[in-house]
Amino acid sequence: MQTKESWFPKFKPYQGDLDTMPVQTDEYLPAGKSIILGLQHAFAMFGATVLAPLLMGFDPNLTIFITGIGTILFFLMTGGRMPSYLGSSFAFIGAVVAVTGYTGVGANPNLSLALGGTIACGVLYALIGLVVIRTGTAWIEKLMPPIVTGAIVMIIGLHLAPVAIKSVSANQFDSWMALITIICISVIAVFTKGMVRRLLLLLGLVASYFIYFLLANVMGFGTAIDFAKVGQAAWFGLPTFHSPTFDINAMMLIAPVAIILVAENLGHFKAVSAMTGKNLSPYMGRGFFADGVCTTLSASVGGTGMTTYAENIGVMAVTKVYSTTIFVFAGVFAILLGLSPKFGAVISTIPVALLGGASIVVFGLITVAGAKIWVDNKIDFTKNSTLMIGAVCLIMGTGNYSLQIGSFDLGGIGTATLAAILLNLFLNRGSEKEPVVEKSADQINSTIAHS
């Protein structure tokens, strides 16, 4: 008689040589090494997790705090079987901007609408997770093959391009500072290695911030950075929480982001599965459900939607340490960081021009990531069905082509996403399955480590 699997694995101490042998998901390291590795994961997620809320007008302090709690909850809800950090998701940016009309300056005045929509997305995502727990992931892969997932990811980046350009077009000084930010990030991405490269967004912003300070505060060009709030802020204190507003149109616009999160996290989980050499497919439903629940809880108090982070997958690829217990330490560090209003005040001084420059990089990378899905899976563009799916959906998303169903506005990203799924089901019915490239663990490690 087959015994029922326990929720958590039986964790055991690591006995191997860290220089030559990987640390598996069900192994744990001594407290000292766990703390250091947890801190490294906290640094890895930091740049993107702070940038995403800033681009949507959310509170970065609260977001950091909530991602720490979310990561620990993810560990508990997946039974400690999937090594992942839950950070703020960039997939929500387009829908949030469309719903709130956020211009990229200061706090989002319509934040509550975004929160209500994000809660709807989290609930939908959690429900998908429950279905996957019962049925597996095969139906998701059939519904969203690489031609569809690649198009969806590219649509997100292209749809946001006008937002990024508009944010740096206030004056020539801002335009030049955005370009300097892009150069700083690019130099770190290309000419550095290891952990420095992993923090390219954070360190690129720090470098451009220093240049902006010299040009504006010292030399008198542009608008000087105001540090008054930094001096007034306390070192420790709870972040400011916010309540959601449930507007049906906002919910209909943001809820479909769940489809994007499924596609994104499916890829992340498969990459981790290949790296660790363990079959994580039986636990993917847990991962989807946990991410959906954490997204709902986050938005309930004013935080952003969440997703598993490729940055932290990259750290695992480099270190070969896959222990899930490490992420509990990373979550604790994030919680401590989020409890410092002083940190939030410093973040609020970042000029819009620098955030705009970083946005150009981020949105461009999102677009290229979608194209990479097509390349990696060797999508055949000699097929007219494939050409039509890619061409139509990209232009729909980029041009913000939006359909209404009754009083519900799907928005540009929602309409293009729906079109990609429906066109694939209609045009590719009965045809051979899209070729999927199966990568070895070493290939995936190499790709992530050098991305």
Side-chain angles (χ1 to χ4, degrees):
M1 182 176 178
Q2 189 176 10
T3 58
K4 186 177 180 181
E5 182 184 59
S6 62
W7 188 259
F8 286 94
K10 188 175 181 180
F11 290 105
K12 52 186 179 290
Y14 177 72
Q15 309 259 335
D17 181 0
L18 274 175
D19 292 329
T20 58
M21 295 176 62
V23 182
Q24 291 298 334
T25 56
D26 58 355
E27 296 178 320
Y28 63 87
L29 292 165
K33 291 180 179 178
S34 295
I35 289 172
I36 293 172
L37 288 165
L39 184 61
Q40 179 173 251
H41 274 293
F43 276 119
M45 65 83 193
F46 181 83
T49 297
V50 168
L51 183 60
L54 288 175
L55 298 180
M56 293 183 280
F58 284 64
D59 180 359
N61 246 60
L62 177 60
T63 298
I64 289 287
F65 177 75
I66 293 298
T67 62
I69 294 175
T71 297
I72 296 173
L73 286 176
F74 185 89
F75 170 84
L76 296 174
M77 296 175 71
T78 59
R81 296 182 183 274
M82 305 191 76
S84 294
Y85 189 94
L86 287 193
S88 52
S89 174
F90 284 82
F92 286 88
I93 297 176
V96 167
V97 170
V99 165
T100 63
Y102 182 60
T103 59
V105 181
N108 192 328
N110 298 312
L111 179 64
S112 64
L113 290 175
L115 297 178
T118 303
I119 289 174
C121 177
V123 171
L124 176 60
Y125 191 17
L127 291 175
I128 293 173
L130 290 176
V131 173
V132 172
I133 289 174
R134 297 282 297 179
T135 64
T137 60
W139 64 275
I140 293 178
E141 297 182 49
K142 183 176 181 180
L143 190 67
M144 295 187 293
I147 178 60
V148 173
T149 54
I152 291 172
V153 175
M154 291 178 72
I155 287 164
I156 297 171
L158 292 171
H159 180 81
L160 292 169
V163 177
I165 300 302
K166 184 179 179 180
S167 69
V168 301
S169 303
N171 52 64
Q172 279 300 305
F173 180 77
D174 281 1
S175 297
W176 280 104
M177 282 309 307
L179 179 60
I180 290 173
T181 304
I182 294 169
I183 293 171
C184 289
I185 295 173
S186 301
V187 167
I188 294 171
V190 175
F191 297 109
T192 64
K193 296 181 179 179
M195 201 61 199
V196 174
R197 178 178 287 182
R198 287 283 157 213
L199 297 174
L200 76 166
L201 287 171
L202 173 62
L203 297 181
L205 276 173
V206 170
S208 58
Y209 187 95
F210 179 70
I211 295 171
Y212 188 104
F213 175 80
L214 289 178
L215 293 175
N217 291 59
V218 178
M219 301 176 66
F221 297 103
T223 303
I225 300 171
D226 184 4
F227 294 101
K229 290 184 179 179
V230 178
Q232 297 167 2
W235 281 103
F236 299 103
L238 283 173
T240 303
F241 298 105
H242 302 273
S243 300
T245 297
F246 297 99
D247 176 83
I248 191 65
N249 284 317
M251 293 165 70
M252 287 292 293
L253 271 171
I254 298 178
V257 174
I259 298 171
I260 302 167
L261 295 177
V262 168
E264 178 181 53
N265 286 308
L266 183 67
H268 287 174
F269 294 150
K270 283 190 171 184
V272 173
S273 184
M275 283 192 298
T276 59
K278 291 181 177 290
N279 180 21
L280 298 180
S281 293
Y283 312 114
M284 285 187 185
R286 292 190 194 182
F288 294 152
F289 177 73
D291 194 0
V293 169
C294 291
T295 290
T296 302
L297 292 175
S298 173
S300 297
V301 296
T304 64
M306 294 189 184
T307 186
T308 56
Y309 253 37
E311 287 86 346
N312 298 89
I313 296 174
V315 172
M316 287 190 286
V318 172
T319 62
K320 305 295 190 297
V321 178
Y322 309 120
S323 173
T324 56
T325 58
I326 298 296
F327 290 92
V328 175
F329 288 92
V332 171
F333 281 124
I335 291 171
L336 294 175
L337 194 59
L339 290 174
S340 174
K342 184 78 72 176
F343 163 73
V346 171
I347 295 298
S348 70
T349 65
I350 300 176
V352 174
L354 307 191
L355 294 175
S359 299
I360 291 172
V361 175
V362 170
F363 300 160
L365 290 174
I366 292 172
T367 304
V368 172
K372 189 174 183 295
I373 292 174
W374 286 353
V375 173
D376 287 348
N377 290 278
K378 299 180 180 178
I379 300 301
D380 184 7
F381 282 104
T382 62
K383 293 170 57 179
N384 283 345
S385 60
T386 304
L387 278 173
M388 291 302 295
I389 294 168
V392 171
C393 299
L394 287 181
I395 296 303
M396 275 185 169
T398 305
N400 197 27
Y401 180 86
S402 179
L403 291 177
Q404 286 189 328
I405 301 177
S407 60
F408 303 135
D409 191 331
L410 291 176
I413 293 178
T415 301
T417 297
L418 182 63
I421 293 173
L422 294 180
L423 282 175
N424 173 69
L425 291 175
F426 176 68
L427 298 178
N428 281 331
R429 60 179 179 174
S431 63
E432 291 185 5
K433 187 179 179 181
E434 295 281 1
V436 178
V437 176
E438 295 292 343
K439 292 187 174 184
S440 68
D442 288 340
Q443 286 175 313
I444 289 178
N445 288 349
S446 177
T447 300
I448 294 176
H450 292 90
S451 65

